[in-house]
């Protein structure tokens, strides 16, 4: 029994969930169900009103005819009982009058009073407890008897249950017989069987008619709604395909109604968007080609300038002090110029989608250590020691080591540049599905909203600050693209005066999704209660850039 209840409960819960899903996703279903519900309420109220009106009309007609019949029978009984006294044999006389009343009513079926139908007469001289009664006095309720004994004509609908257990409803009319020397009451019991059958027939007719009407309304509503919803669904499907890249997708225009106007407007909008997208694509292609061509064209003169600068730099000891210093500055700026050209070529290749991931399954820890080693000199000059936290166990993942090393080198260089001489910490951790690396500094930090901007090209938090690393302004943007090629995530967090933290998450296997990161962000050492510095009490949100491999295609 318990198992059956559970199965029924589970089935009902499943149906409720399915109904909820269909209700949320189908406009046609919502309109049909709503119309059906409102129509059901209208049909129910209308049916109740009709049933009440019919029942009231039947009862009033029956009552009027019954009262008229009773008055006629009272006249017959009074003529038969005139002059009767207390000494007469009352019971016999009452039985005789009862037969007379019954026979006289059956002989006059065409009278107006006969519309009340058959009846059972009752004559009594003392109520239900009296022996001077004729007829089924026990069927007459006491409340009606009190009115008749008070010389009033009254009626009541009363249901009687006989000895066999069957129940019969009567319209009982009571009236006094006034021509006798003692009080006598006459009751006529009119069965309501015919009226009950009529009401039952009306109820069944209303029920069947209401169900048929609701079915027709549901079908009509579903058909009409479908005519409206189908074009909307077609428009939604076309919009989805358009958003998926099918820019030639259009809606068919049929007729001149509102839906055809919607289709025409949609087609015009799609055509306009298509033109603008193609213009942007052409502009982007020209821009990338221009950047690539300029970068390549600058290679030749830059090489010549580099050779001349190297000659001058090698002979700088023979020059005066000012000229020797200028030679050193020239070489430094040429180094930065070469780095900028290299980054521009790299970013143009990434934008063009021609870069490929040379992934191999290796340990990530040596890649982290190589990146730290390359930044050690810059960190020593800035006075910001780099603390390394890597696990002793192997943290292997399918990565492109060159690109991951470049990401970490850019993150470390950025952290050293903004650490204000404080330590920079790099941490490596892994779980079953992902490898994560965080770079944490305790420098100037990030203001509200800057966590979403740090990966923009040539963006700087404070343009007035002097850079120590001589970066090109494209390092974090290239890191963003490299992480995207891996199908990972690159996130940033920061608070003014409390530093910043960058987290790189990479899947251990290419193409496999990863869940929770092995390292938290914000970092565990962030200020408690979000207090970052005097006067600052808010904890700023983490800037998250979702990076997926297919975005680079």
């Amino acid at each position: 029994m318990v198992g059956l209840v559970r199965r029924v409960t589970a089935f009902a819960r499943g149906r409720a969930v399915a109904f909820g899903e269909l209700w949320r996703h189908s406009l046609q279903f919502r309109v049909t169900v709503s119309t059906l519900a409102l129509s059901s309420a209208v049909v129910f109220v209308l049916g109740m009103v009709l049933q009440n009106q019919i029942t009231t009309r039947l009862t009033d007609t029956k009552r009027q005819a019954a009262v008229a019949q009773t008055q006629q029978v009272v006249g017959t009984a009074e003529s038969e009982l005139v002059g009767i006294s207390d000494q007469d044999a009352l019971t016999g006389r009452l039985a005789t009058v009862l037969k007379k009343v019954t026979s006289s009513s059956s002989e006059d079926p065409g009278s107006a009073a006969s519309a009340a139908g058959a009846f059972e007469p009752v004559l009594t001289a003392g109520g239900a407890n009296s022996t001077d009664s004729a007829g089924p006095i026990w069927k007459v309720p006491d409340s009606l008897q009190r009115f008749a004994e008070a010389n009033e004509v009254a009626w009541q609908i009363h249901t009687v249950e006989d000895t066999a257990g069957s129940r019969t409803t009567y319209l009982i009319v009571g009236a006094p017989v006034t021509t006798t020397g003692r009080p006598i009451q006459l009751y006529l019991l009119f069965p309501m069987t015919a009226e009950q059958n009529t009401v039952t027939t009306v109820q069944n007719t209303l029920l069947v008619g209401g169900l048929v009407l609701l079915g027709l309304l549901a079908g009509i509503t579903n058909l009409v709604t479908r005519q409206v919803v189908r074009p909307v669904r077609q428009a939604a499907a076309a919009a989805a395909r358009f958003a998926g890249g099918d820019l030639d997708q259009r809606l068919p225009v049929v007729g001149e109604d509102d839906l055809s106007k919607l289709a025409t407007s949609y087609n015009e909008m799609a055509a306009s968007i298509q033109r603008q997208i193609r213009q942007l694509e052409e502009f982007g292609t020209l821009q990338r080609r221009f950047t690539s061509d300029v970068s390549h064209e600058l290679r030749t003169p830059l090489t010549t300038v580099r050779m001349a600068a190297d000659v001058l730099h090698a002979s700088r000891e023979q020059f005066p002090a000012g000229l020797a210093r200028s030679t050193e500055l020239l070489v430094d700026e040429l180094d930065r110029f070469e780095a900028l050209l290299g980054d521009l070529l790299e970013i143009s290749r990434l934008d063009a989608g021609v870069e490929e991931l040379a992934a191999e399954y290796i340990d990530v820890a040596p890649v982290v250590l190589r990146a730290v080693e390359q930044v050690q000199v810059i960190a020593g000059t800035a006075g910001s020691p780099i603390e390394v936290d890597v696990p002793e166990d192997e943290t292997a993942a399918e990565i492109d080591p060159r690109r991951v090393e470049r990401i970490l080198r850019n993150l470390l260089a950025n952290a050293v540049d903004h650490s204000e001489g404080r330590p920079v910490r790099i941490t490596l951790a892994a779980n079953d599905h992902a490898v994560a690396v965080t770079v944490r500094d305790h420098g100037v930090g990030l203001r509200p909203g800057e966590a979403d901007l740090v990966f923009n090209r040539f963006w700087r938090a404070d343009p007035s600050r002097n850079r120590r690393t001589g970066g090109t302004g494209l390092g974090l943007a290239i890191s963003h693209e490299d992480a995207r090629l891996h199908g990972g995530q690159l996130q940033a967090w920061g608070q003014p005066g409390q530093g910043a933290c960058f987290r790189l998450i990479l899947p251990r296997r290419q193409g496999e999704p990863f869940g929770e990161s092995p390292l938290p962000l914000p970092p565990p050492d962030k200020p408690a209660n979000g207090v970052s510095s005097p006067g600052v009490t808010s904890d700023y949100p983490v800037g998250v850039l979702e990076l997926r491999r297919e975005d680079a295609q």
Side-chain angles (χ1 to χ4, degrees):
M1 184 62 181
V2 177
L4 178 60
V5 172
R6 290 179 178 175
R7 287 194 297 270
V8 172
T9 303
F11 177 79
R13 187 180 296 112
R15 294 299 91 193
V17 171
F19 180 84
E21 290 291 330
L22 188 60
W23 177 268
R24 288 192 297 271
H25 293 93
S26 177
L27 175 63
Q28 181 178 357
F29 180 75
R30 287 203 304 272
V31 173
T32 302
V33 172
S34 301
T35 304
L36 192 61
L38 294 175
S39 301
S40 300
V42 172
V43 170
F44 176 77
V45 173
L46 181 61
M48 293 297 295
V49 171
L50 289 177
Q51 178 182 336
N52 183 67
Q53 290 292 330
I54 293 172
T55 303
T56 303
R57 182 62 60 86
L58 288 174
T59 303
D60 290 344
T61 303
K62 183 80 171 183
R63 177 180 56 80
Q64 293 173 3
V67 171
Q69 183 75 23
T70 303
Q71 292 174 350
Q72 179 180 342
V73 172
V74 165
T76 304
E78 288 178 345
S79 62
E80 294 293 330
L81 294 174
V82 62
I84 193 171
S85 61
D86 295 342
Q87 290 77 21
D88 295 333
L90 185 59
T91 303
R93 290 288 301 275
L94 292 178
T96 301
V97 172
L98 210 60
K99 293 179 181 179
K100 178 67 175 177
V101 167
T102 304
S103 60
S104 62
S105 298
S106 60
E107 292 175 356
D108 191 15
S111 63
S114 64
F119 60 85
E120 296 182 39
V122 175
L123 282 170
T124 179
N129 297 324
S130 173
T131 57
D132 298 330
S133 299
I137 185 60
W138 57 274
K139 294 183 179 181
V140 181
D142 295 338
S143 57
L144 183 60
Q145 292 184 30
R146 287 194 292 271
F147 280 99
E149 291 172 357
N151 293 329
E152 296 181 10
V153 177
W155 62 274
Q156 182 177 349
I157 296 177
H158 181 62
T159 301
V160 179
E161 183 176 358
D162 57 18
T163 56
S166 60
R167 300 170 63 87
T168 305
T169 301
Y170 293 95
L171 173 61
I172 305 176
V173 181
V177 179
T178 58
T179 59
T180 60
R182 57 182 302 180
I184 297 177
Q185 295 84 37
L186 171 67
Y187 303 97
L188 298 185
L189 287 71
F190 297 89
M192 300 286 291
T193 305
E195 287 73 18
Q196 288 178 327
N197 293 336
T198 302
V199 172
T200 301
T201 302
V202 170
Q203 289 177 341
N204 294 335
T205 303
L206 291 175
L207 179 61
V208 174
L211 293 177
V212 172
L213 178 61
L214 291 177
L216 292 175
L217 286 174
I220 294 172
T221 304
N222 186 68
L223 180 62
V224 173
T225 307
R226 182 180 179 84
Q227 293 178 354
V228 178
V229 171
R230 183 170 56 185
V232 175
R233 290 176 177 172
Q234 292 176 351
R241 290 191 292 269
F242 188 89
D246 186 5
L247 300 182
D248 295 325
Q249 186 67 39
R250 297 294 185 270
L251 288 176
V253 179
V254 179
E256 299 179 356
D257 55 8
D258 294 334
L259 293 176
S260 61
K261 294 179 181 178
L262 173 63
T264 302
S265 300
Y266 171 84
N267 292 340
E268 293 175 353
M269 178 192 68
S272 176
I273 293 175
Q274 184 180 22
R275 288 193 300 270
Q276 296 180 26
I277 290 176
R278 287 179 176 173
Q279 291 175 359
L280 290 174
E281 288 177 348
E282 293 174 358
F283 176 76
T285 302
L286 291 175
Q287 185 181 36
R288 289 191 297 268
R289 184 179 301 171
F290 174 79
T291 303
S292 179
D293 292 344
V294 169
S295 301
H296 280 93
E297 291 299 326
L298 287 177
R299 284 285 186 181
T300 301
L302 180 62
T303 302
T304 303
V305 175
R306 163 62 70 180
M307 292 174 60
D310 288 341
V311 172
L312 292 174
H313 188 266
S315 304
R316 68 184 182 280
E317 295 180 355
Q318 303 175 10
F319 300 152
L323 186 57
R325 178 57 182 165
S326 298
T327 303
E328 293 175 354
L329 292 176
L330 176 62
V331 172
D332 291 341
E333 290 304 315
L334 283 174
D335 290 340
R336 183 181 178 189
F337 194 19
E338 285 185 334
L340 178 59
L341 280 179
D343 287 347
L344 284 174
L345 287 172
E346 182 69 20
I347 205 75
S348 64
R349 286 193 294 267
L350 289 169
D351 288 341
V354 298
E355 290 284 23
E356 294 183 357
L357 198 68
E360 52 182 308
Y361 195 73
I362 61 172
D363 188 7
V364 182
V367 179
V368 174
L369 296 178
R370 286 199 301 270
V372 172
E373 183 178 356
Q374 295 178 22
V375 187
Q376 282 288 9
V377 176
I378 300 174
T381 304
S384 299
I386 300 179
E387 303 172 353
V388 182
D389 182 7
V390 296
E392 297 181 357
D393 298 334
E394 183 181 35
T395 54
E398 191 175 358
I399 63 171
D400 185 338
R402 179 181 67 87
R403 295 183 183 278
V404 173
E405 183 178 335
R406 181 167 60 189
I407 294 173
L408 299 179
R409 185 172 63 248
N410 288 331
L411 294 179
L412 286 169
N414 179 76
V416 169
D417 191 59
H418 296 84
S419 62
E420 301 292 333
R422 298 183 181 90
V424 175
R425 186 175 186 84
I426 183 170
T427 306
L428 171 66
N431 57 23
D432 294 337
H433 302 286
V435 173
V437 182
T438 58
V439 178
R440 175 79 163 100
D441 68 77
H442 299 273
V444 295
L446 296 173
R447 292 189 293 269
E450 292 183 346
D452 296 325
L453 303 175
V454 292
F455 302 106
N456 292 349
R457 300 171 187 183
F458 300 108
W459 182 85
R460 294 180 64 182
D462 188 358
S464 64
R465 294 184 67 253
N466 293 325
R467 300 180 63 92
R468 298 186 178 91
T469 61
T472 64
L474 294 173
L476 292 180
I478 294 175
S479 299
H480 171 284
E481 300 296 334
D482 284 337
R484 179 170 61 183
L485 284 176
H486 284 83
Q489 288 183 354
L490 192 55
Q491 303 168 312
W493 169 89
Q495 289 183 2
Q498 295 297 333
C501 183
F502 289 78
R503 180 175 67 179
L504 171 67
I505 309 175
L506 301 173
R508 304 199 74 163
R509 290 288 183 182
Q510 287 298 308
E512 293 184 359
F514 58 89
E516 185 177 356
S517 171
L519 294 174
L521 192 72
D525 62 343
K526 73 167 186 173
N529 300 325
V531 178
S532 57
S533 62
V536 180
T537 58
S538 60
D539 193 4
Y540 301 107
V542 177
V544 180
L545 293 179
E546 292 289 343
L547 309 173
R548 295 184 174 83
R549 183 166 188 160
E550 59 268 22
D551 294 341
Q553 299 302 321

